[in-house]
Amino acid sequence: MTEFLKKEGKFTYAEAGEGRALIVLHGLMGALSNFDETFNYFSKKGYKVLIPELPLYSLPLLKTNVKNLASFLHDFIEHKELKDVVLLGNSLGGHIGLYYTKHYPKDVAALVLTGSSGLYEKAMGDSFPKRGNYEYINEKTQAVFYDPAVATKELVDDVFKIVNDRSSAIRTLSIAKSAIRHNMAKDIPNMHQPTCLIWGKQDTVTPPEVAEDFHKLLPDSDLFWIDKCGHAAMMETPKEFNTILEGWLSKREI
């Protein structure tokens, strides 16, 4: 994906394709590369796919929260002069998409949520990551997926680096606490955008009942399950994820 990276002012992002803007929002420990296959697939299917690098670890500590990450997204959308976008978010990225939609509903043509936070928060697991304990980080990273082999050494190393940097670790905790504060249960029933929910049946971070709650609360949603899949369907089962999403976008004429 590095060949598609651009840097303009405070924005670093990947962009490819032409058509309606599909903006991908990564999660708390996520990276742009988590969406490699989705980025490559939909940029060839009539969409302008953009993945902004969210400033999870560079905002001032007091501004490191869901609200300001949504403000950053608004600045990015204005910078790119985009209209009627599709927001696709995994985990924290879905939460940012929901918060954005609450405040800027006219910008958003549709939402795609996969393993999204916003209703139930267990992004940090049962305890804060133990700095310096590589095996613990390895175990926690593997637990995100149904198939632990998806948690490559490179991925575990990236997570280990984040939690062992004091500044990044503090901001990770700040964002996690912010996600709990910004529960969207009362706001979601007012979001009438078509919404596609794609969920791993074995998601232990945002379990299946979370997807069912989203489905009940959202006025216009469709829920799709992927078996033998954990919290990050676009990484673990990208072909199935892309097929489901393409079919939904086509059916909804988005």
Side-chain angles (χ1 to χ4, degrees), residues 86-87 98 101 108-114 116 188 191-199 214-215 217-224 245 248 252 254:
V86 178
L87 296 179
L98 287 164
T101 301
V108 182
L111 281 166
V112 183
L113 304 176
T114 181
S116 177
I188 288 171
M191 297 181 189
H192 294 274
Q193 287 82 356
T195 304
C196 179
L197 303 165
I198 306 176
W199 232 263
F214 270 120
H215 190 36
L217 289 169
L218 284 158
D220 185 12
S221 64
D222 297 294
L223 173 56
F224 302 91
L245 180 53
W248 184 81
R252 291 300 195 109
I254 296 168

Side-chain angles (χ1 to χ4, degrees), residues 35-189:
F35 289 88
D36 265 347
E37 296 203 36
T38 297
F39 178 84
N40 292 331
Y41 188 84
F42 284 97
S43 62
K44 297 180 179 72
K45 293 287 182 176
Y47 293 89
K48 180 196 290 286
V49 186
L50 304 107
I51 314 182
E53 190 175 275
L54 298 173
L56 302 180
Y57 310 115
S58 57
L59 288 173
L61 183 57
L62 292 176
K63 292 188 175 182
T64 303
N65 53 42
V66 172
K67 176 183 176 181
N68 281 294
L69 291 168
S71 294
F72 176 87
L73 174 60
H74 182 246
D75 291 347
F76 178 71
I77 287 173
E78 288 208 325
H79 171 72
K80 294 295 294 180
E81 299 180 341
L82 303 172
K83 304 288 184 185
D84 296 323
V85 304
V86 178
L87 296 179
L88 189 174
N90 171 243
S91 202
L92 174 71
H95 200 157
I96 294 166
L98 287 164
Y99 194 89
Y100 185 89
T101 301
K102 173 187 173 181
H103 291 279
Y104 306 100
K106 292 181 180 179
D107 288 356
V108 182
L111 281 166
V112 183
L113 304 176
T114 181
S116 177
S117 62
L119 289 179
Y120 170 86
E121 314 310 334
K122 197 186 175 186
M124 300 302 299
D126 298 318
S127 60
F128 188 74
K130 297 172 185 174
R131 293 174 70 187
N133 188 333
Y134 188 88
E135 282 308 311
Y136 178 87
I137 301 300
N138 184 49
E139 179 187 319
K140 285 292 183 182
T141 306
Q142 288 181 347
V144 169
F145 306 101
Y146 174 78
D147 178 5
V150 179
T152 61
K153 185 177 185 304
E154 181 183 10
L155 181 60
V156 176
D157 287 348
D158 287 345
V159 175
F160 186 73
K161 182 179 178 181
I162 290 169
V163 300
N164 275 277
D165 177 89
R166 186 173 182 276
S167 175
S168 297
I170 290 171
R171 281 164 173 76
T172 298
L173 189 56
S174 178
I175 293 168
K177 287 180 176 178
S178 166
I180 294 169
R181 288 197 307 273
H182 290 98
N183 187 284
M184 306 295 295
K186 292 180 180 177
D187 304 305
I188 288 171

